[in-house]
Amino acid sequence: MRPTRRKILIGGGAGVGLVVAWSLWPRSHAPNLVLNPGEHGFGAWLKIGSDGHVTVAVPQAEHGQGSWTVLPQIVADELGADWRTVGVEPAPMNPLYANRLALSELLEGVLDRIPAGFRDDWVRREGAMLTGGSTSVRMFEAACREAGAAARALLTQVAAARWGVTAQACTARDGFILHGANRLRFAELADEAAAGTVPEPLPIGVGGAGRLMGSSVARIDAPSKVDGSANFAGDVRLPDMVHAAVRGGPPGSRLIAADRAAADRVPGVVAVVTNDGWAAAVATTGWAAQRALDAMHPRFESHGPLPTTASMDAALDAALALDGVSMVSTGAATTGGATTGGREIVARYDAGVGVHAAIETPSATASFRDGRLELWLATQAPAAARAAAAAAAGVSVEAVILHPMPIGGSFGAALEHDAAAQAALLAVKLMRPVSLIWSRGEAVLHDRYRPPARARMRARLGANGAILGWHAAIAAPDTGKALARRLIPGAVAEAALAAGGAGDRYAVAGALPPYRIPAVTIHHHPTDIGVATGHLRGGAHGYTAFFTECFLDEIARAGGNEPLSFRIGMLGGEPRLARCLSTAAALGGWDGGVAGSGQGIAAYAFRGSYIAVLAEAHVVGGRILVDRLVAAVDCGRPVNPDLVRQQIEGGLIFGLAHALGASTGFAGALAEVRGFGGLAIPRLADTPDLTVELIGSDEAPGGVSELGVPAVAPAVANALFAATGFRARTLPLRTGA
C-alpha cells in the first residue's frame, strides 16, 4: 500500500540532511541527490545550504529552452525562496524523474497503445528520463509545487513551534519564515525540521507562495553563458586526457582502408582506432586529431544502390502510388476525403530533409577506470545514452556514471547517442580519458534528419466554397518507429509498435486540421529512402502544418473567400485558435492578403497551445526576403513570460530557417552540404521584425518550446503568393517552378 504523507517519518541529522518524501512516486525509488557539506536535501528536488542557498535538481536537459530556470522558479515560488539565492544542478539518474509525457508526445502516442501497467512498469524500472515534446512544465509542474510546498511546510512548523504560534499564522518570503516582527532564515530551520512530518493535505499555493509565478525572473544560466564560464561536454578537462576526431561511413557501409602511417606522422598523434563503421584519430589536441583523421583518408565500401536526391524523390513517388494506411477517418469520408458531389481541388506538396544544424556538434567526454565508465555528455535521453555507452564499453549499465551537461542547441539531435558510444569505446581501448567532438562536417553527414515528405492533398468544396471533405495522403519514412526502437528497449518498443499496427503516427502527426470539416481522411504511405531520419524540433508538424495551412489558403482563394475569415468560420470548436488568428491579424494590419500585399497568415494548435503567424515577404532578384513576422500565442498560464517570448521568437527564426533552407541534397548516400555555409540559415541581417503577443489565459500551461516553428513556413508561403502570384508548394521555399 502506498504510504500517505502523514505516515512518513522524516529522518536526518548531521551529514545525512533533511529528506522529505511524499506520495507522488513509489517509495521504492529513494531520492539520491548528492549532498555537499552543509546542505540539507529536501526530497528529490531541492537542497538548502547552511548559507541559505537553494539548489533545485532539474531532470530536464537545458538546451536553450529555459528548463533550468522555469522548474526552479516553480519550486522557489512554492517554497517562498529568494530568487537571488536559487541555483540549479542536473538531477541524478532516478525513476523519480521519469518523463512519461515526453515519451508520448515525442512518439506521438505510440506507447499509448500498449497496456498501461506494462508501460508504466517499464518507465519506473528503466528510469525513462527524457527531454522533448515541449513537456517540462506540463510534466513536472505538479511535482515541483509539491516539493516546494512540502519543504515550506516543514520549515514553517519548526519556526511556529519556536514562536509558540500556529503554522497557519506564518508565511514564507525571500528565504525567511515570517510571523509579525519575527523571522528566521531557512538555513536556521532545516536541521530541526528533520524531526517533523509533512502535513496532509499539502499547503500548496498558501503561506507566501505565488509571488514568483507569472513573473519574468532572470534566467539562471544566462550569466555563465554570457561570460563564457558555462561548461559544455567539450569543455571538460581531465588529467591525462586525449582528444579524438571520428569519421563514419554512409549507413550500411564498411571501413575498408585507412592510412595509419599518414596519421602517425602528424605531431601529437597518440593512437588510431578503427572498426567496421568508423575510424578515429586520437591526439594530444583536437586540432592534431582532426589533421590526423584527414591524413588517414578513411575509405568505406557500400553494397547496393546508394541513396541520392533523385532516388529519394522516386521512393516518395512510388509510395504515393501504392495504397496508404488509414490513420484518421472522420465523418462520411471516402478515400477521396468526402462524399460525392461538389468541386474537387487537388495539389501536391513536398518537404525536403531538415538538418538540425545546432551550434554544438555531438560531443562527449569519457573516462574508464577500475571497471567504471564515467561520461560527461550532452543528452536529452540519458537512460538510452547510458545503455548505449555501456554496450559499447562492454560493461553493465550500473557501471556507467553519466553527468548530463548543458547543450548548445540540439533541436532534437541530442536524443541520439552515437557520440556517447564512440567516446566510451575509445576510453576503454585507450585506458585514458577521451574528449570527442564531432566536426561540423561529421555532424551534417551523420545527422538523423527530419525526413522528407510528399503529400497529395485533396478537398471537395460546396457551392459556397465550404469544405465538404478533406483527404491527405502523405508519403514519409517510418521515423517514429525507428526513434522508438532507439529510445526504448526491444520488447517494449516492439510491443508498442505491434499494437499500433501498420503506418506511423509520428510521420503524419499534425495532419488532422483543427478546423470543423465534415469528413477527413489521413493516409500514411510508408517510404524507405535509405537515409537515417530522426526527430527535429517540431517533428512532422513542421511539414504537415505547411501542407495543411497552404492548401487551406488555396481552397479559400479558389472559393472566393478571404483566408482569415475562412479559417475563423471553421473554428467554432477552437475559440482559442480563433482568437490567436484575430489578434495576429489586428497586430499585423492584415489587409486580406490581396494581390501585391505580400501578406500571408497561418495558424496551428500544438501540444496544448495555440499560435497564429502573420508574415510579410517579398522577392528581390529571385531571393525571398521576409520583412515581418507577427505571432499571437495562447499557451495557457505562463510561468515566466520572458521565457515564453524567447522560445516563440527562437521558434519563429528556426521555422524561418527551415522555410528558406536548413536542408541538403544527397549524392552517393552522403549529404551534399557539409557546413553552415551551404545551409542558407538566416543571419542577423536576414532576421525580420518580430512581434510576439501573449494572450492572457488561466488555462493550464501548454507546450512552448516547439510552438513557434510549424506555422512560419505556411505563413511565408502564403505571403509569397500574395506578393508574386506564385504558389510555392515545396520546402525549402522556391520562387519559381
Side-chain angles (χ1 to χ4, degrees):
M1 183 177 72
R2 189 171 64 180
T4 67
R5 296 184 183 90
R6 192 171 299 281
K7 291 180 180 177
I8 297 175
L9 178 66
I10 308 302
V16 178
L18 172 64
V19 179
V20 181
W22 56 95
S23 63
L24 181 63
W25 303 105
R27 194 179 180 186
S28 58
H29 302 306
N32 59 336
L33 288 182
V34 175
L35 301 179
N36 297 313
E39 286 187 329
H40 302 282
F42 284 64
W45 288 92
L46 69 141
K47 305 182 292 186
I48 297 177
S50 57
D51 60 355
H53 77 265
V54 175
T55 302
V56 179
V58 175
Q60 299 296 91
E62 176 58 73
H63 54 101
Q65 83 280 32
S67 63
W68 281 16
T69 295
V70 70
L71 295 182
Q73 183 175 350
I74 296 169
V75 173
D77 177 74
E78 280 292 339
L79 180 61
D82 181 346
W83 184 247
R84 296 170 298 178
T85 68
V86 177
V88 65
E89 66 180 35
M93 297 288 291
N94 195 314
L96 293 172
Y97 309 109
N99 192 340
R100 299 166 178 82
L101 184 59
L103 279 170
S104 177
E105 293 280 27
L106 271 175
L107 301 178
E108 300 295 344
V110 167
L111 286 183
D112 297 346
R113 297 200 177 186
I114 63 176
F118 181 57
R119 177 190 67 223
D120 293 344
D121 178 67
W122 173 78
V123 169
R124 286 192 298 267
R125 188 161 32 84
E126 297 295 329
M129 295 170 64
L130 196 63
T131 302
S134 304
T135 58
S136 294
V137 173
R138 291 187 291 154
M139 178 66 202
F140 294 112
E141 181 183 17
C144 288
R145 288 198 176 283
E146 291 206 15
R152 170 171 45 82
L154 286 169
L155 297 168
T156 301
Q157 286 176 167
V158 173
R162 292 186 186 181
W163 297 325
V165 299
T166 65
Q168 291 74 18
C170 300
T171 59
R173 184 167 186 170
D174 296 335
F176 290 85
I177 303 297
L178 307 172
H179 179 265
N182 297 319
R183 69 178 193 167
L184 287 168
R185 297 170 66 238
F186 288 171
E188 300 174 72
L189 302 167
D191 190 52
E192 188 176 345
T197 56
V198 182
E200 188 178 342
L202 280 175
I204 294 177
V206 299
R211 291 185 175 87
L212 295 180
M213 288 302 295
S215 64
S216 297
V217 300
R219 289 186 66 131
I220 291 177
D221 58 334
S224 62
K225 290 178 177 177
V226 170
D227 67 19
S229 61
N231 281 321
F232 295 82
D235 295 321
V236 175
R237 294 294 180 265
L238 301 171
D240 198 35
M241 188 174 77
V242 290
H243 299 261
V246 300
R247 185 164 300 160
S253 66
R254 182 175 64 88
L255 181 69
I256 57 171
D259 191 341
R260 291 173 175 263
D264 287 338
R265 287 193 291 270
V266 175
V269 167
V270 173
V272 170
V273 178
T274 62
N275 60 26
D276 284 346
W278 48 270
V282 185
T284 54
T285 68
W287 176 240
Q290 190 63 53
R291 287 181 58 212
L293 183 65
D294 292 339
M296 194 162 49
H297 193 60
R299 295 187 295 280
F300 298 85
E301 178 184 64
S302 296
H303 297 283
L306 299 178
T308 64
T309 301
S311 71
M312 293 162 65
D313 186 72
L316 293 170
D317 265 345
L320 267 185
L322 302 174
D323 291 337
V325 179
S326 178
M327 308 301 290
V328 175
S329 181
T330 66
T334 68
T335 56
T339 54
T340 58
R343 176 187 175 190
E344 185 177 72
I345 295 181
V346 179
R348 192 187 91 172
Y349 282 85
D350 288 280
V353 301
V355 179
H356 287 90
I359 291 292
E360 182 188 25
T361 61
S363 307
T365 297
S367 176
F368 185 71
R369 183 176 179 180
D370 299 329
R372 298 188 70 82
L373 177 68
E374 202 164 359
L375 275 174
W376 290 261
L377 182 67
T379 178
Q380 294 173 246
R386 187 184 184 201
V395 299
S396 68
V397 171
E398 292 73 22
V400 179
I401 301 170
L402 190 148
H403 303 282
M405 303 296 289
I407 309 173
S410 175
F411 310 124
L415 289 167
E416 311 299 341
H417 33 259
D418 303 88
Q422 291 170 339
L425 178 60
L426 290 170
V428 170
K429 281 186 173 292
L430 300 173
M431 296 302 292
R432 295 177 68 174
V434 176
S435 173
L436 171 63
I437 302 175
W438 282 18
S439 67
R440 178 64 55 193
E442 188 74 5
V444 176
L445 285 170
H446 294 282
D447 197 3
R448 283 193 171 89
Y449 314 93
R450 186 192 68 191
R454 175 162 295 160
R456 184 173 59 241
M457 309 295 292
R458 183 180 301 163
R460 199 171 293 278
L461 309 186
N464 60 351
I467 302 175
L468 301 177
W470 176 286
H471 176 66
I474 299 174
D478 286 336
T479 298
K481 291 184 175 181
L483 181 63
R485 290 188 172 100
R486 293 197 297 274
L487 292 179
I488 303 172
V492 178
E494 295 308 323
L497 298 177
D504 188 341
R505 296 171 70 178
Y506 181 100
V508 298
L512 179 64
Y515 305 99
R516 188 168 51 198
I517 299 173
V520 177
T521 56
I522 311 293
H523 286 181
H524 177 219
H525 297 251
T527 312
D528 182 5
I529 61 170
V531 171
T533 60
H535 180 77
L536 180 140
R537 186 181 188 182
H541 300 261
Y543 57 74
T544 57
F546 174 67
F547 301 158
T548 298
E549 286 294 303
C550 287
F551 190 48
L552 196 73
D553 210 70
E554 287 196 61
I555 294 169
R557 296 179 185 278
N561 293 301
E562 184 269 320
L564 173 66
S565 57
F566 186 67
R567 286 174 167 84
I568 292 178
M570 294 187 291
L571 285 173
E574 291 284 5
R576 295 171 70 185
L577 189 58
R579 187 177 179 191
C580 287
L581 275 164
S582 61
T583 302
L587 289 173
W590 172 254
D591 64 2
V594 297
S597 68
Q599 286 191 335
I601 201 163
Y604 207 64
F606 191 33
R607 309 209 194 284
S609 293
Y610 303 83
I611 188 170
V613 176
L614 183 149
E616 292 182 353
H618 67 285
V619 177
V620 175
R623 184 180 176 212
I624 299 171
L625 298 176
V626 179
D627 305 299
R628 187 161 67 129
L629 293 174
V630 178
V633 176
D634 181 351
C635 61
R637 168 178 41 82
V639 176
N640 186 315
D642 268 4
L643 286 181
V644 173
R645 287 190 183 89
Q646 290 167 17
Q647 284 306 292
I648 299 301
E649 290 173 356
L652 294 174
I653 297 300
F654 190 85
L656 182 63
H658 284 269
L660 304 181
S663 188
T664 179
F666 287 83
L670 297 175
E672 294 175 317
V673 174
R674 305 296 167 86
F676 282 149
L679 289 174
I681 294 173
R683 296 170 297 177
L684 186 60
D686 305 315
T687 303
D689 179 67
L690 300 179
T691 300
V692 175
E693 178 72 11
L694 303 185
I695 296 174
S697 175
D698 292 326
E699 298 290 338
V704 171
S705 294
E706 301 163 288
L707 181 61
V709 177
V712 177
V716 173
N718 294 337
L720 290 176
F721 178 79
T724 67
F726 173 74
R727 177 63 67 179
R729 297 191 181 96
T730 299
L731 285 180
L733 298 171
R734 298 195 296 261
T735 58

